[in-house]
Amino acid sequence: MLLRPAPVAQVLLDIELTIVHLDNASRQLIGAGRDDLIGRAVADLLQPAEGPMVAALLAAVLADGIPRTMDARWRYPDGSTQRTATYVSRLGNGPDARLALASRPIAAIGTVATQWQIASLILGGLRTGRATFGTDIFSGPPAEILLILYLAEVEGRSMTAAAIAETTETNWGLTQRWLRALLESGVIETERGAPVAPDTALRLTADGDDRLLQMLTALESPAPIRPT
């Protein structure tokens, strides 16, 4: 599901709320090695006072599958903490269900929830415009692809080239062209540098993620439009 480490720290929990997978960004965020973290209860790595609140929120997501965002403070081994906006979503159902946690330091940028909402609104606007005017008049596959990959990353989902073609309602040949252009620009990448094929997993690069976040952060408090 997860590709190589992303700017968003990603952690997977089982139904017992213990860590079963995490990326390098998470290990840097928490300040411990993989062997020290796999199998540990996530509550052990958070500010103790937040334990009951976090456990209740995680249990709620497990129960109803509705994603939620929480203000979580990860605790370093030296006792200091890092405040993050953490998006929580459920993957699967039953005893094999997993919780995906995507954490981003709040000090660096605004909240994940606000940026997720802005990205969703932009993507929805592009799709509505396409449905209203038709693809010949209103179409922006590259922008849609970047937003789709951002939302997938935040929600802890993997996105393949075939899924992108289906989501953007673009034929495979045109999808390949746009994906190759975005790959050449350095804003997206494939898993392990694999060639673009229907089952190839894609994600934003660190540069693509940073540039998209700059745009979303600017839209949180847009500058007023002055009459000319």
Side-chain angles (χ1 to χ4, degrees):
M1 181 200 71
L2 301 177
L3 307 181
R4 71 176 181 75
V8 175
Q10 300 182 31
V11 179
L12 276 184
L13 309 178
D14 61 18
I15 60 173
E16 301 298 328
L17 306 185
T18 59
I19 297 173
V20 295
H21 180 86
L22 71 167
D23 63 4
N24 280 345
S26 299
R27 295 196 283 274
Q28 293 166 6
L29 177 68
I30 302 168
R34 184 179 185 280
D35 292 341
D36 296 324
L37 297 172
I38 297 295
R40 290 189 63 180
V42 70
D44 293 344
L45 305 172
L46 297 169
Q47 190 74 348
E50 297 179 350
M53 178 198 71
V54 170
L57 184 143
L58 297 177
V61 177
L62 270 177
D64 59 28
I66 299 173
R68 292 170 172 82
T69 300
M70 63 180 179
D71 185 335
R73 288 174 174 78
W74 295 92
R75 185 175 55 180
Y76 292 111
D78 64 4
S80 61
T81 61
Q82 171 63 65
R83 185 183 176 205
T84 67
T86 298
Y87 182 92
V88 185
S89 58
R90 188 183 74 190
L91 307 175
N93 295 287
D96 294 326
R98 295 287 185 264
L99 286 178
L101 278 59
S103 293
R104 190 184 294 276
I106 285 177
I109 51 176
T111 65
V112 172
T114 300
Q115 291 164 347
W116 180 88
Q117 290 173 338
I118 293 171
S120 297
L121 284 171
I122 297 172
L123 185 59
L126 290 171
R127 290 172 176 170
T128 300
R130 187 176 66 220
T132 303
F133 296 100
T135 56
D136 291 339
I137 297 176
F138 203 107
S139 180
E144 283 194 63
I145 292 169
L146 293 174
L147 291 165
I148 288 166
L149 291 177
Y150 167 76
L151 291 171
E153 179 183 271
V154 171
E155 296 166 9
R157 296 182 289 107
S158 179
M159 184 61 64
T160 64
I164 288 173
E166 181 180 357
T167 304
T168 58
E169 299 179 346
T170 306
N171 67 60
W172 176 240
L174 190 56
T175 299
Q176 280 184 302
R177 259 174 41 208
W178 283 122
L179 290 176
R180 285 170 181 155
L182 291 169
L183 284 164
E184 289 174 7
S185 74
V187 294
I188 71 170
E189 62 189 356
T190 63
E191 185 176 14
R192 302 186 187 89
V196 175
D199 61 350
T200 302
L202 297 119
R203 53 158 279 179
L204 295 172
T205 61
D207 179 56
D209 188 85
D210 287 343
R211 290 162 69 178
L212 191 59
L213 285 173
Q214 287 175 18
M215 180 192 77
L216 296 175
T217 301
L219 291 173
E220 289 185 48
S221 301
I225 299 175
R226 295 186 175 87
T228 56

